[in-house]
Amino acid sequence: SRVCLHKASTRCHQPLGLLFVGSTGNHQGRCGKTGRGGWCGRKLGLLLGRRQPLGSAQPKSGRGGEPIGQYLEMDRWDKDCDAAFELALPPQWECRDCSWGSSGTWQALPKEVSIQLNAFGRRGQRRGNITVGGRELVVDLQDNVAVPSDQYGRTPMHLRKSVRQPRVDKRAMKQFYAKYMEELPPADHAGGPDGIAGEKFLQFFQDIEVDPATDVTALAIAAACKASEMGVFRRREFICGCAALEVDGIDEFRKKIPELRSRVLSGESLEEVYTYTFGVAIDPPCKVLPLEDASAYWALLLPNWPLREPFCEWASQHMKGKVINRDLWSMVLKLAVEVPADLSGYDDNPAWPVVFDEFVEFYRAQQGL
């Protein structure tokens, strides 16, 4: 069984499957507690911790009284697609010498510089400083130029960004999204005034044949969407996920599932999904994850780690506070992927946290290592 986490920190011990019944009323009737908005609030890893009653969202009406899912302004949709595409496939920035008479070739800037420039753009920041090849440059994104901070004897550079368009059909993706969307407050949310949540969220996973209670693919999809809230895909987040995966319909999504699952379990995308999971699993302003929740996430993300169950069992009995912060969460992944099951390489790294030292001492004594 798993534990439901309530707003008042009261708990009810109910099987995890009860969280996926698709109705707050059913779960509330069993546990007798509600969190924010009437939903039980238990969000165990599986992205279904909707903060509002699942049965309360009724289809809203658009123009002429039709369901809102049937009416999405194409101009607004195109703008949302453009913004989400850049998030899914971040532009690569290039530069060239802009001295008088120069016809220099465009050269790609380092990846970390492109990331920094893209962050400027997302924040609406026109000017900022970057460092390229040991040179500090002052960037103006309105004029797309970078000027050396000392300027003396230095040549300014032109900047441009190269945007890759995903192989998706915007209209097909719009129809796909409309099947599941509903209005979600607030209307001015950066991710859009609507999204996929509650019963439609459950239906989406059912349609793509993924069980969020047991399949790490659910976390991989949420990471591709860069979803900011457990159990919700806002409009731009959903578009971002479709663009990143290059799918625009239910059949394409289903075909992508084996690849997504394999990439996580093989380790190819594990670090990305693992890092994302902690951020979406914590409940702000709290900055730690209850050990019980973390253990359930580890079961999904690290199913083949031989020390997972011994570590979780030891932690539940001996670890102070029974919470996992971001640093410890990250170090668990490092321990899982870098240290053999017999812990033979553990002592090579003196920077392990004390809690690991205590576990290793205990485990070695228990196993006679």
Side-chain angles (χ1 to χ4, degrees):
S1 70
R2 300 299 186 204
V3 179
C4 290
L5 192 62
H6 303 293
K7 182 176 181 181
S9 298
T10 54
R11 290 172 175 259
C12 71
H13 295 262
Q14 293 296 333
L16 181 60
L18 294 181
L19 301 177
F20 303 97
V21 296
S23 168
T24 303
N26 289 347
H27 187 72
Q28 182 181 348
R30 291 177 171 87
C31 74
K33 303 288 183 183
T34 60
R36 283 171 287 187
W39 171 238
C40 177
R42 173 69 170 145
K43 6 171 243 180
L44 179 55
L46 316 172
L47 308 181
L48 299 176
R50 178 89 194 276
R51 306 294 173 62
Q52 297 179 9
L54 293 180
S56 67
Q58 299 298 324
K60 306 293 194 302
S61 295
R63 294 183 183 177
E66 70 271 28
I68 189 170
Q70 303 300 317
Y71 181 77
L72 289 169
E73 292 182 1
M74 201 61 200
D75 287 346
R76 172 66 186 271
W77 179 260
D78 284 342
K79 291 178 181 178
D80 286 330
C81 283
D82 291 342
F85 288 173
E86 283 204 11
L87 192 60
L89 305 172
Q92 172 65 51
W93 286 80
E94 301 171 322
C95 67
R96 76 174 181 186
D97 187 344
C98 61
S99 58
W100 179 260
S102 173
S103 58
T105 58
W106 289 99
Q107 296 181 334
L109 288 169
K111 182 178 179 181
E112 59 272 17
V113 175
S114 286
I115 292 174
Q116 191 174 2
L117 291 174
N118 289 331
F120 289 166
R122 285 195 300 273
R123 294 195 296 264
Q125 181 177 340
R126 173 182 169 178
R127 295 172 63 88
N129 290 4
I130 62 173
T131 301
V132 179
R135 300 167 57 192
E136 185 176 356
L137 304 172
V138 179
V139 173
D140 188 322
L141 292 185
Q142 181 169 319
D143 296 331
N144 279 339
V145 294
V147 180
S149 58
D150 57 20
Q151 295 193 20
Y152 296 106
R154 302 298 185 97
T155 303
M157 295 187 298
H158 282 306
L159 298 176
R160 73 175 183 184
K161 63 180 179 181
S162 176
V163 180
R164 182 169 74 88
Q165 291 296 315
R167 294 190 294 270
V168 292
D169 184 298
K170 289 182 180 180
R171 290 187 178 273
M173 189 166 52
K174 177 171 171 282
Q175 293 175 352
F176 181 32
Y177 175 71
K179 179 180 178 181
Y180 302 101
M181 62 162 287
E182 63 181 46
E183 286 184 348
L184 296 176
D188 59 352
H189 192 285
D194 43 58
I196 301 172
E199 293 176 348
K200 294 295 184 70
F201 193 85
L202 293 167
Q203 185 63 50
F204 167 72
F205 277 102
Q206 181 177 334
D207 289 349
I208 62 174
E209 300 174 357
V210 168
D211 179 5
T214 60
D215 196 337
V216 72
T217 311
L219 289 170
I221 292 170
C225 293
K226 304 186 190 306
S228 59
E229 182 180 353
M230 191 72 74
V232 177
F233 294 156
R234 289 273 176 177
R235 181 195 295 194
R236 288 193 178 185
E237 294 170 348
F238 184 80
I239 296 171
C240 175
C242 288
L245 302 176
E246 297 194 317
V247 296
D248 52 26
I250 198 71
D251 292 334
E252 290 85 355
F253 231 118
R254 289 196 193 108
K255 292 176 183 177
K256 205 75 175 181
I257 298 305
E259 177 188 341
L260 282 171
R261 184 182 299 119
S262 175
R263 291 184 67 228
V264 177
L265 297 179
S266 69
E268 182 180 352
S269 64
L270 175 60
E271 183 175 2
E272 175 188 352
V273 176
Y274 185 91
T275 301
Y276 163 81
T277 297
F278 184 87
V280 78
I282 58 176
D283 196 3
C286 184
K287 296 182 179 180
V288 295
L289 193 61
L291 174 62
E292 187 175 9
D293 289 15
S295 298
Y297 283 114
W298 288 329
L300 284 177
L301 292 160
L302 305 171
N304 300 320
W305 180 31
L307 297 179
R308 176 177 55 81
E309 290 187 1
F311 175 73
C312 290
E313 183 177 352
W314 175 85
S316 67
Q317 297 177 12
H318 302 284
M319 187 173 167
K320 296 179 180 179
K322 303 295 189 295
V323 293
I324 305 297
N325 62 26
R326 187 180 293 274
D327 288 342
L328 186 55
W329 173 266
S330 299
M331 293 300 284
V332 167
L333 178 62
K334 187 177 178 69
L335 180 69
V337 301
E338 294 185 6
V339 177
D342 63 1
L343 297 171
S344 57
Y346 179 82
D347 297 321
D348 295 339
N349 185 350
W352 294 116
V354 173
V355 67
F356 285 5
D357 293 340
E358 294 174 351
F359 164 69
V360 169
E361 181 181 359
F362 171 85
Y363 185 76
R364 282 173 170 169
Q366 186 183 59
Q367 300 296 315
L369 298 176

